[in-house]
Amino acid sequence: MTADRRASWLKGVLDLLVLASLTEGENYGYEIAKSLAGSGLGQIKGGTLYPVLNRLEEAGLVAAEFRVTERGPGRRYYRLTEQGRSTLAEQGDLWVAFDRSVRSVLAKGGIQ
């Protein structure tokens, strides 16, 4: 039986997907995870998502702000920075080219 490789594939592109999910505006971690899951990527747990958000913040690609809420715990909201937008455009183009290459090779193997 062959192992399901989707988790490994997701790790390779999750940073880019998180940046892309923030192009519509700021959001907090749980909603980012829900949005990605709603796109068919499956459940992304906090133990996977929050290190990505922290890494993106440290790199200056997203900015974060903690906000107190009237009900429940406060939330850390993330927004895309200009550097994040530039990185998304550059890396997004590279990913699309890579995707085309993978699809081309798979098509030779009879996989559409």
Side-chain angles (χ1 to χ4, degrees):
M1 180 185 274
T2 305
D4 186 342
R5 304 286 310 202
R6 288 178 289 188
S8 296
W9 301 336
L10 183 60
K11 284 182 184 179
V13 73
L14 188 56
D15 289 24
L16 189 59
L17 296 173
V18 169
L19 292 176
S21 75
L22 291 171
T23 58
E24 296 177 356
E26 67 181 12
N27 219 335
Y28 57 97
Y30 178 74
E31 287 297 323
I32 293 169
K34 273 182 42 179
S35 171
L36 295 174
S39 297
L41 297 168
Q43 180 186 13
I44 299 168
K45 297 181 181 176
T48 299
L49 179 61
Y50 288 103
V52 168
L53 287 165
N54 289 335
R55 187 170 54 250
L56 294 173
E57 183 180 10
E58 288 173 7
L61 305 179
V62 300
E65 176 186 348
F66 183 80
R67 295 185 193 156
V68 177
T69 59
E70 290 182 21
R71 295 186 200 150
R75 293 186 175 131
R76 194 163 171 84
Y77 282 82
Y78 299 89
R79 66 174 172 76
L80 203 54
T81 64
E82 285 306 313
Q83 183 180 354
R85 287 185 194 284
S86 296
T87 298
L88 174 60
E90 175 187 315
Q91 295 298 312
D93 287 344
L94 292 171
W95 178 261
V96 168
F98 178 75
D99 176 65
R100 274 194 299 267
S101 298
V102 169
R103 287 174 184 262
S104 174
V105 173
L106 290 175
K108 290 176 186 175
I111 299 170
Q112 297 296 320

